[in-house]
């Protein structure tokens, strides 16, 4: 097998110390060109080296040779591979810890930079109050009476219109309203996978999705995200060849926590790649409206020819998380999803649906978005500047072009869970990277939400956190 | 076996024409006394006779000898019984038909006497509008922001207080708020049963529960309801001895559709009977507040010593179905249910929760209930009077002491599904009895909701329906 040749070659190179501990290997693309093999062959060889403890992958950076003391005895030649299948598709077990951490984020007297919902001051409070008061006055009958449908019709109509503006071709009949985006994701997963099945996800991944996968007894196969492109299509290609994957779930726009934005060409390619193998895509676009430059982003759904893309979204990041309004454009899975939705809870609150419909169709939502994205951009840049100013130089921080979260890599030897604990002792809550994975990756990473309560003295707290990072760095050196 | 002796005896009696076709057998209790055997022995003998086509059970009436032409050849002696297990616990398959029928109920220009939610004119519209407007003015932050808890605290507090007033002993920590009662029932079922398991339910049963059972791949074991006592404890006793039942789910107060109210002593006995075998009870009390005499009803939960009772309710029948607010007091299943709830949709709409909390704690709800129950009683009696006036004499109708539905048995030889179809052709929607069962029972029954739109000319439509019944009766004679 080609990858074994490459594996043997790299093994020898490391053994003969052509690459020393700490050295960076050539990039995947370079290795592919150098050895005239496919990208997936390179990835498989690198995974084998990583599995055997010779190299380590560093997020958004590359592959590095491990120090000798951390390596197992070096085999001269690679052994015939046993299937990697069981070791790669993981049971997820983050719920317990996630609950504890989110509980701390919401505790009184804790400065919450953890949860990624924006503070309500970022929501269009006055507009919603005005619309809500009018609805209570004029439409009480509609508000009080449950409807056995896929959702409030004017809401489905305006959602379809907005999706079509972004390049989709759907009607209001292709929309099912849910109680928030998590319910949407849950219904999609139920429609395509059963207990024990494997779902491919981004790595680092969205915590709620990982928890859902855990709660449904599914397994997660984590596909790396490279640089600012989001999900690596090469890694996905390899995964699709090697494993039985029931669906891919991802946040293509301003992914939480990496902030990466998948380019349009990649979206097209992704949808085609999945369509070829008839694998459904669960697309979570709830942050897509939050591009700092106000750009209209074409969702993967826009490239969906076969109806395999289940588009999910909500207004939780833009308008109100407490209203619990989300939706799905379910493609060919419409029947199953509508059925599961009915027997989850019949429908979402009418008032919430009517409020969102009115806010969207009146133009108030778009007006609000223009202000909100400016405000978020300013806030995110402010956090970035302060992190650069107060944290150790080695700290790496993402440069998202939308959304509200930053993903930090702390200096080597600072474990982010320990950093989380010490920060909490100071009075500030963050999210450690171990919640974003079912494996042991990201234990140097933390997520910070910049859309925090305006009463928080951000500079003071980031200075405190920076000092903590310095202290921990010095302790362990 | 004792029941075989009784079976043989009754068989002979019928064969020797001591009982003629159409004759009513002695009651279960009378047979038990007469033959000095237990009630469950009698039930088993009667079931065997029914299975062999010798007698038929008539709802709320008793057991009748079938006409000879409908009987199979009479065996002289009973055969050794094969296990009744597989034939009694049924897969439910009503969803498709239920969807079509409910769709018709909501169609424009159809007079809807079918769905059992009250028309919104029965809800406290003005009060909710006033409270809602105030909440929008004062608590926008709370309304817009999702909370990772078991529900809005003031709501859980007032619900616990009300339950304690009815004889329970719980705190707000024993309450989990859901998106309506169907979600509550769904979470309870998920907590105690997995695909293929059997749930005991009332017969006739609540349509939504039957559909839930179907959607979760469970089986339903239908326990008869006798007279006005609701679920037959004797039949349940037998079922518990004979079959592996994972839980019992029932509507003890004004059961939908039978309207029966389980007496307090039966509730106590029921909870003890289940506790002895460690079988959970899913108690759906969403109609308990609608006693025509305003009586405070003690739920089964009040007798729960072991925490096996999962109490479910909502405001959908009393205050607003469109708000989607329900709740569970989950007993020992709190952890599983809270977990499933989080990964269903995090929480219910905050606004809905706050609106319900405020309406309950201000006393407006109780005030509204006093008016509502009077109005419902009047309406139900009006329907009963008109049915007596316009329907064939043989029509039987329930005499509920609360709620809003009537359960009619049409004269023999009128199939209720055909009646439903012909009524729909006239322009009025009802629910045929076949939706209330997974078996072939109740094909002469229909459910009518008396809490209908006030613009409906009830007398005109009941006259039309009565005439239809006469026409169908004459056709088939």
């Amino acid at each position: 097998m080609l990858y074994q040749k490459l594996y043997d070659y790299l093994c020898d190179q490391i053994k003969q110390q052509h690459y020393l501990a700490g050295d960076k290997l050539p990039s995947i693309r370079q290795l592919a060109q150098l050895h005239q093999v496919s990208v997936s062959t390179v990835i498989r060889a690198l995974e084998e080296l990583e599995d055997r403890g010779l190299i380590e992958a560093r997020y958004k950076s590359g592959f590095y040779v491990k120090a000798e003391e951390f390596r197992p005895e070096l085999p001269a030649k690679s052994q015939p591979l046993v299937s990697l299948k069981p070791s790669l598709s993981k049971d997820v077990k983050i719920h317990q810890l996630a609950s504890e951490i989110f509980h701390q984020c919401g505790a009184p007297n804790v400065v919450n930079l953890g949860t990624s919902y924006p503070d309500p001051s970022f929501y269009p409070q006055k507009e919603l109050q005005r619309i809500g008061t009018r609805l209570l006055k004029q439409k009480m009958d509609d508000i009080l009476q449950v409807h056995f449908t896929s959702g409030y019709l004017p809401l489905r109509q305006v959602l379809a219109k907005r999706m079509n503006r972004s390049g989709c071709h759907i009607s209001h009949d292709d929309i099912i309203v849910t109680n928030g985006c998590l319910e949407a994701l849950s219904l999609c997963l139920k429609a395509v996978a059963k207990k024990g099945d494997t779902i491919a996800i981004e790595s680092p991944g969205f915590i709620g999705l990982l928890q859902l996968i855990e709660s449904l007894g599914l397994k997660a196969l984590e596909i790396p995200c490279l640089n600012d492109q989001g999900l690596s299509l090469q890694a996905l290609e390899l995964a699709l060849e090697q494993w039985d994957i029931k669906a891919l779930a991802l946040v293509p726009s301003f992914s939480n926590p990496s902030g990466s934005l998948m380019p349009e060409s990649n979206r097209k390619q992704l949808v085609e790649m999945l369509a070829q193998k008839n694998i459904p895509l669960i697309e979570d676009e709830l942050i897509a409206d939050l591009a700092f430059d106000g750009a209209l982003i074409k969702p993967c759904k826009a490239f969906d020819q076969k109806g395999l893309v289940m588009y999910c979204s909500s207004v939780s990041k833009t308008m109100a998380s407490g209203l619990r309004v989300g939706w799905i454009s379910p493609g060919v899975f419409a029947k199953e999803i509508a059925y599961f939705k009915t027997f989850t809870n019949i429908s979402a609150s009418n008032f919430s649906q009517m409020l969102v419909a009115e806010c969207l169709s009146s133009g108030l939502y778009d007006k609000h978005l223009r202000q909100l994205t400016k405000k978020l951009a300013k806030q995110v840049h402010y956090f970035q500047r302060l992190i650069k100013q107060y944290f150790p130089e080695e700290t790496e921080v993402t440069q998202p072009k939308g959304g509200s979260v930053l993903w930090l890599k702390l200096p080597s030897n600072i474990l982010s869970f320990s950093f989380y604990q010490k920060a909490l002792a100071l009075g500030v809550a963050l999210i450690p990277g171990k919640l974003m994975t079912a494996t042991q990756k990201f234990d140097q990473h933390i997520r910070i939400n910049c859309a925090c309560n305006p009463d928080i003295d951000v500079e003071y707290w980031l200075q405190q956190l920076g000092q903590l990072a310095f202290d921990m760095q010095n302790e362990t050196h």
Side-chain angles (χ1 to χ4, degrees), chain A:
Chain A
M1 280 176 284
L2 281 177
Y3 84 88
Q4 275 189 326
K5 278 196 189 159
L6 180 58
Y7 168 79
D8 289 344
Y9 169 78
L10 290 170
C11 236
D12 278 348
Q13 295 279 305
I14 294 168
K15 201 177 167 187
Q16 290 164 27
Q17 306 207 326
H18 294 164
Y19 292 110
L20 296 173
D23 274 358
K24 186 177 174 177
L25 294 187
S27 75
I28 292 176
R29 204 161 292 276
Q30 287 170 330
L31 284 170
Q33 282 183 341
L34 211 60
H35 297 273
Q36 289 292 304
V37 293
S38 74
V39 163
S40 60
T41 300
V42 176
I43 290 174
R44 201 148 169 211
L46 291 172
E47 280 184 336
E48 179 74 342
L49 287 166
E50 193 183 8
D51 266 11
R52 289 169 188 254
L54 297 175
I55 62 168
E56 62 181 337
R58 295 190 194 159
Y59 179 67
K60 289 198 175 178
S61 173
F63 293 88
Y64 291 79
V65 177
K66 273 180 139 173
E68 272 199 63
E69 61 265 38
F70 294 122
R71 287 186 217 159
E73 210 183 301
L74 204 60
K77 294 277 169 192
S78 68
Q79 305 297 317
L81 264 185
V82 287
S83 165
L84 290 174
K85 206 167 170 176
S87 70
L88 279 176
S89 167
K90 300 279 185 189
D91 282 322
V92 183
K93 281 175 190 155
I94 63 159
H95 172 68
Q96 183 87 19
L97 185 63
S99 303
E100 284 163 25
I101 291 175
F102 285 124
H103 184 74
Q104 294 299 345
C105 290
N109 303 321
V110 164
V111 169
N112 180 9
L113 302 179
T115 44
S116 65
Y117 287 107
D119 182 79
S121 58
F122 289 82
Y123 295 138
Q125 302 214 7
K126 280 187 187 154
E127 290 82 353
L128 291 174
Q129 190 203 324
R130 207 173 60 237
I131 298 172
T133 304
R134 183 159 50 76
L135 288 172
L136 287 172
K137 210 164 167 184
Q138 297 174 347
K139 305 212 168 173
M140 212 54 187
D141 259 26
D142 269 345
I143 291 170
L144 296 187
Q145 193 175 204
V146 71
H147 300 289
F148 292 85
T149 66
S150 300
Y152 182 60
L153 182 61
L155 176 59
R156 289 186 289 132
Q157 284 168 333
V158 69
L159 291 174
K161 200 170 145 192
R162 292 182 72 86
M163 283 182 67
N164 289 344
R165 205 177 66 179
S166 305
C168 300
H169 304 279
I170 63 154
S171 86
H172 62 269
D173 283 332
D174 302 315
I175 301 266
I176 295 170
V177 180
T178 62
N179 289 66
C181 198
L182 195 78
E183 183 175 290
L185 295 174
S186 168
L187 294 170
C188 292
L189 286 170
K190 281 183 199 161
V192 296
K194 58 178 198 306
K195 208 171 166 169
D197 283 346
T198 294
I199 304 296
I201 61 168
E202 293 164 283
S203 185
F206 165 51
I207 302 172
L209 176 65
L210 279 157
Q211 287 177 288
L212 261 187
I213 287 175
E214 177 175 351
S215 79
L216 295 171
L218 303 170
K219 287 172 191 293
L221 178 66
E222 301 187 18
I223 311 287
C225 292
L226 291 169
N227 303 319
D228 282 341
Q229 310 214 339
L231 190 89
S232 156
L233 294 185
Q234 287 71 31
L236 178 67
E237 191 181 359
L238 172 78
L240 294 180
E241 274 167 21
Q242 299 281 323
W243 297 289
D244 181 21
I245 291 167
K246 292 299 175 198
L248 168 68
L250 87 162
V251 184
S253 305
F254 317 118
S255 188
N256 181 350
S258 74
S260 61
L261 174 65
M262 183 179 263
E264 197 173 305
S265 58
N266 282 30
R267 293 176 185 228
K268 185 165 185 284
Q269 207 184 325
L270 171 68
V271 172
E272 286 166 0
M273 195 191 286
L274 292 170
Q276 218 164 25
K277 294 185 182 270
N278 278 314
I279 295 175
L281 171 62
I282 301 170
E283 177 182 33
D284 176 355
E285 279 287 51
L286 89 165
I287 320 177
D289 280 349
L290 293 182
F292 295 155
D293 61 1
L296 205 60
I297 294 170
K298 214 176 225 187
C300 297
K301 182 77 184 170
F303 303 102
D304 184 27
Q305 305 272 342
K306 282 176 128 178
L308 290 172
V309 180
M310 288 169 269
Y311 172 102
C312 301
S313 192
S314 86
V315 294
S316 293
K317 301 281 183 175
T318 54
M319 196 194 295
S321 53
L323 294 177
R324 311 307 303 129
V325 172
W327 57 92
I328 309 171
S329 182
V332 297
F333 304 99
K335 210 175 149 187
E336 293 93 320
I337 288 177
Y339 180 70
F340 286 129
K341 168 61 193 165
T342 302
F343 294 103
T344 302
N345 45 35
I346 307 177
S347 79
S349 146
N350 289 344
F351 180 74
S352 293
Q353 293 188 71
M354 292 161 81
L355 201 52
V356 173
E358 190 60 27
C359 195
L360 290 175
S361 55
S362 65
L364 284 171
Y365 178 73
D366 283 320
K367 200 175 149 199
H368 161 69
L369 275 187
R370 285 193 290 276
Q371 295 165 350
L372 174 63
T373 48
K374 270 189 205 144
K375 200 170 159 187
L376 286 177
K378 203 173 146 194
Q379 188 80 350
V380 167
H381 295 143
Y382 179 51
F383 270 69
Q384 285 170 324
R385 188 165 62 71
L386 292 171
I387 289 165
K388 199 165 173 185
Q389 185 174 346
Y390 292 117
F391 276 62
E393 206 183 343
E394 299 88 331
T395 307
E396 295 171 23
V397 59
T398 49
Q399 309 285 332
K401 288 172 185 154
S404 70
V405 301
L406 290 174
W407 180 234
L408 273 66
K409 188 180 179 191
L410 298 170
S412 56
N413 301 329
I414 300 184
L415 285 174
S416 62
F417 188 67
S418 168
F419 188 82
Y420 153 78
Q421 289 175 311
K422 290 183 182 184
L424 195 62
L426 292 175
V428 55
L430 315 152
I431 308 292
K434 67 196 296 180
L435 291 191
M436 284 74 167
T437 175
T439 65
Q440 299 305 311
K441 282 175 287 189
F442 310 123
D443 58 5
Q444 271 177 263
H445 290 75
I446 54 167
R447 187 186 75 187
I448 292 184
N449 178 23
C450 308
C452 61
N453 187 312
D455 295 339
I456 294 173
D457 182 344
V458 173
E459 178 154 11
Y460 171 80
W461 286 108
L462 288 180
Q463 194 175 0
Q464 293 283 309
L465 290 172
Q467 189 56 51
L468 175 61
F470 274 113
D471 292 348
M472 289 178 73
Q473 193 179 27
N474 293 335
E475 254 173 44
T476 52
H477 272 177

